[in-house]
């Protein structure tokens, strides 16, 4: 089942309102930024997603911190190189 653009629009409005009401602070804002970031990422708006995940991470969201790292191309490259090096040390195929 896929969400309609109306559902997504409505969800974004609700999340924007939650951020506004929380004044962008606290756990509610962190959750709203994280959810909005996920919607942006699913819609291909990577820059908006990264901005929201960064704000959520600053507010203490561990999931958002993970997303910021995953979306950083340099971190992804480093993680791949590290995994390859570890596998090589273990003698596992890459």
């Amino acid at each position: 089942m896929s969400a309609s653009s109306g559902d997504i629009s409505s969800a974004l409005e609700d999340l924007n309102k939650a951020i506004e009401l929380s004044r962008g602070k606290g756990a509610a804002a962190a959750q709203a930024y994280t959810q909005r970031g996920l919607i942006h990422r699913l819609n291909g708006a990577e820059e908006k997603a990264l901005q929201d995940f960064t704000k959520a991470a600053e507010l203490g969201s561990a999931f958002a911190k993970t997303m910021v790292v995953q979306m950083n191309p340099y971190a992804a490259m480093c993680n791949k190189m590290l995994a390859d090096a570890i596998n090589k040390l273990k003698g596992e195929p890459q």
Side-chain angles (χ1 to χ4, degrees), residues 1-59:
M1 175 185 341
S2 64
S4 74
S5 63
D7 292 341
I8 292 169
S9 239
S10 179
L12 286 172
E13 286 176 27
D14 290 346
L15 293 168
N16 291 339
K17 190 67 171 175
I19 291 167
E20 179 186 330
L21 291 173
S22 67
R23 296 186 178 146
K25 297 181 179 174
Q31 185 65 30
Y33 279 123
T34 299
Q35 290 176 350
R36 194 172 73 177
L38 288 169
I39 291 171
H40 286 318
R41 189 148 195 221
L42 289 171
N43 287 326
E46 295 286 312
E47 189 58 37
K48 286 182 178 180
L50 185 56
Q51 289 172 359
D52 280 349
F53 289 138
T54 300
K55 288 177 185 173
E58 289 169 359
L59 293 171

Side-chain angles (χ1 to χ4, degrees), residues 60-82:
S61 170
F63 176 80
K65 286 177 189 173
T66 301
M67 295 305 293
V68 169
V69 170
Q70 283 182 7
M71 292 178 75
N72 179 330
Y74 297 110
M77 184 176 62
C78 287
N79 288 340
K80 170 81 170 94
M81 290 170 52
L82 183 59

